[in-house]
Amino acid sequence: MTQNAVKDRPRVRLKPKANARGLRHGFPWVYANDIVTDRRTRKIAAGALAVLEDDKRTPIALVAVNPESKIMCRVLDRDIDAQLTVDWFETRLSRALALRACLFDTHYYRLVHAEADGFPGVIIDRFGDACVIQPNAAWAEAHLDVLIDALVKVTGVTTVLKNASGRTRGLEGLDDLSLILRGAAPDAPLPVPMNGATYMADLTGGQKTGLFYDQRPNHAFAAGLVHSGAHVLDMFSHVGGFGLAMLAGGAKHALCVDGSAPALELATQGADASGFADRFQTRQGDAFGVLTQLGEEGAQFDVVICDPPAFAPSRQALDAGLRAYERIARLAAPLVKPGGYLGLCSCSHAADLGRFRDASSRGIGRAGRQAQLIHTGFAGPDHPQLPQLAESGYLKAVFYRL
């Protein structure tokens, strides 16, 4: 981009009551109702770059604009003259890679965690020589080619896949077409080593990018709770996240429950690859129904973990979501042996830690159990939080001794 083109970038202006100070102090989003919108502003192409100004026309930041989205502007750079060249992407990717290189001795982690890594709306998970990218914002879709060029150069990966699933892309007005961007897609699930177990990641047909790295430290904490004779239950297990980790920690037997048959098949493959096949069992079904059935059967476990999908994906769904979290705790608590442990998780950013913990504690109390809260966990450090953006701290895990 020429210097003249940079100077000709469109300008978008905040309304007088908008929080310009918060944006100057690091908040990365500007909502549509905080922008002065006119015919010119509404004609800005989705993903185009613009200069954000306060109500007095003082520049604040370089932003990506999407008139189709409620998040109309995403802050990209404090330098309003910045150009999104390969060098720009390489600098940020190198910074992200340096953090992960300090944290892990193998290349299995979240490489880019959206705003916290300077890439608003972009997720990149790494699986050895392959990366799966979710460009969930229009600006990233518009600059995808240069982003991938930089990604390959910085990491040396040979395969890059685009995952276009999920509701976020729809909110940005983007398509749901997943693609192979570099190399060839794996012809089988990839083995991923974590916490002493082997997990199987389906990069093309699995949920999201194929595996959830965010629970890694919580898996490890749960594994530390088990003893050699422990029987454990992993509800909403997906590909065996908590169950396999607890088997690696020495549990005698793990039952993994999920509604998805393909996810449970991957969990079984992971158990086989880890050498746990004789101590591993699955049950497919609705979690609420299975918890009820297990209670009726008089089943008892030393550790029970419930890691459901987001019951409160928005503020509008918060009340119903909190009731669902309370119900899960009420149904799960009776399955825990006296002196055993119950782990409850939430990935709903709309339900903050306090409300989620209160709902979980109410459910345990309604089940007639006494509890000690012994640990609170969050996403791993490869999922850093942007301090100014509460939504980036979405994952919570509370562990109780009953």
Side-chain angles (χ1 to χ4, degrees):
M1 179 179 287
T2 66
Q3 200 61 37
N4 285 338
V6 169
K7 291 180 179 179
D8 290 339
R9 281 173 175 162
R11 306 260 165 163
V12 290
R13 184 160 41 94
L14 293 175
K15 293 179 179 178
K17 292 185 178 180
N19 187 8
R21 178 180 297 178
L23 289 160
R24 288 193 173 96
H25 291 173
F27 189 72
W29 295 346
V30 188
Y31 297 102
N33 57 9
D34 285 327
I35 295 288
V36 176
T37 53
D38 52 24
R39 186 181 304 172
R40 175 188 56 81
T41 306
R42 287 190 291 269
K43 286 185 177 180
I44 297 175
L49 305 183
V51 176
L52 176 69
E53 301 176 333
D54 64 17
D55 62 309
K56 298 178 176 60
R57 299 190 182 277
T58 302
I60 296 176
L62 176 68
V63 296
V65 181
N66 187 355
E68 304 282 332
S69 174
K70 288 184 178 180
I71 304 174
M72 190 169 175
C73 296
R74 297 175 187 264
V75 175
L76 295 179
D77 206 304
R78 298 294 155 182
D79 177 6
I80 63 171
D81 296 323
Q83 301 182 41
L84 270 58
T85 61
V86 171
D87 288 344
W88 188 91
F89 284 98
E90 285 180 10
T91 297
R92 296 193 174 203
L93 287 168
S94 296
R95 188 184 307 146
L97 181 60
L99 171 62
R100 280 71 183 180
C102 287
L103 299 171
F104 306 105
D105 55 9
T106 58
H107 297 309
Y108 297 93
Y109 43 68
R110 173 150 294 181
L111 174 61
V112 167
H113 191 53
E115 281 78 1
D117 280 306
F119 291 93
V122 179
I123 296 297
I124 303 177
D125 283 347
R126 185 171 184 179
F127 301 88
D129 291 330
C131 279
V132 181
I133 181 170
Q134 290 183 295
N136 293 330
W139 79 272
E141 191 78 19
H143 294 84
L144 192 56
D145 287 343
V146 66
L147 169 55
I148 300 308
D149 287 343
L151 176 65
V152 171
K153 184 174 180 181
V154 168
T155 64
V157 297
T158 55
T159 297
V160 181
L161 308 177
K162 171 187 169 184
N163 183 295
S165 64
R167 63 189 292 268
T168 307
R169 283 179 60 86
L171 296 175
E172 285 278 302
L174 301 172
D175 63 46
D176 58 358
L177 182 63
S178 296
L179 299 169
I180 302 170
L181 301 176
R182 292 286 192 281
D187 56 9
L190 297 182
V192 176
M194 283 197 300
N195 290 319
T198 298
Y199 296 84
M200 305 306 293
D202 183 352
L203 304 194
T204 56
Q207 293 184 38
K208 302 291 185 180
T209 64
L211 194 69
F212 297 111
Y213 285 128
D214 52 0
Q215 287 280 24
R216 184 175 351 210
N218 298 319
H219 292 166
F221 182 81
L225 297 175
V226 303
H227 54 78
S228 59
H231 287 249
V232 302
L233 172 63
D234 181 4
M235 297 295 304
F236 307 94
S237 67
H238 190 225
V239 298
F242 281 95
L244 294 182
M246 288 189 285
L247 287 173
K252 182 178 181 179
H253 184 269
L255 172 60
C256 284
V257 178
D258 201 272
S260 167
L264 290 177
E265 173 58 28
L266 290 170
T268 300
Q269 293 177 25
D272 291 343
S274 303
F276 305 150
D278 59 337
R279 297 185 281 144
F280 182 79
Q281 183 183 355
T282 65
R283 184 185 294 198
Q284 183 185 358
D286 169 74
F288 292 99
V290 173
L291 286 170
T292 301
Q293 292 166 10
L294 288 171
E296 293 170 349
E297 295 167 9
Q300 291 274 279
F301 301 89
D302 297 278
V303 182
V304 175
I305 305 291
C306 298
D307 182 19
F311 284 151
S314 65
R315 291 179 182 175
Q316 292 78 12
L318 178 58
D319 289 343
L322 292 174
R323 287 194 297 270
Y325 288 124
E326 179 180 331
R327 185 183 176 203
I328 284 287
R330 177 173 59 82
L331 292 173
L335 304 179
V336 180
K337 294 178 182 179
Y341 301 93
L342 174 62
L344 302 168
C345 308
S346 167
C347 58
S348 300
H349 68 77
D352 63 22
L353 174 60
R355 288 180 174 179
F356 169 64
R357 184 179 54 222
D358 289 347
S360 299
S361 299
R362 278 197 307 274
I364 293 170
R366 288 185 63 195
R369 300 299 300 271
Q370 295 288 325
Q372 296 167 293
L373 180 62
I374 62 168
H375 179 70
T376 301
F378 303 95
D382 54 340
H383 293 63
Q385 296 183 31
L386 183 67
Q388 297 87 351
L389 186 65
E391 287 83 351
S392 64
Y394 64 98
L395 182 66
K396 290 82 60 179
V398 288
F399 290 84
Y400 298 86
R401 181 173 181 266
L402 304 190

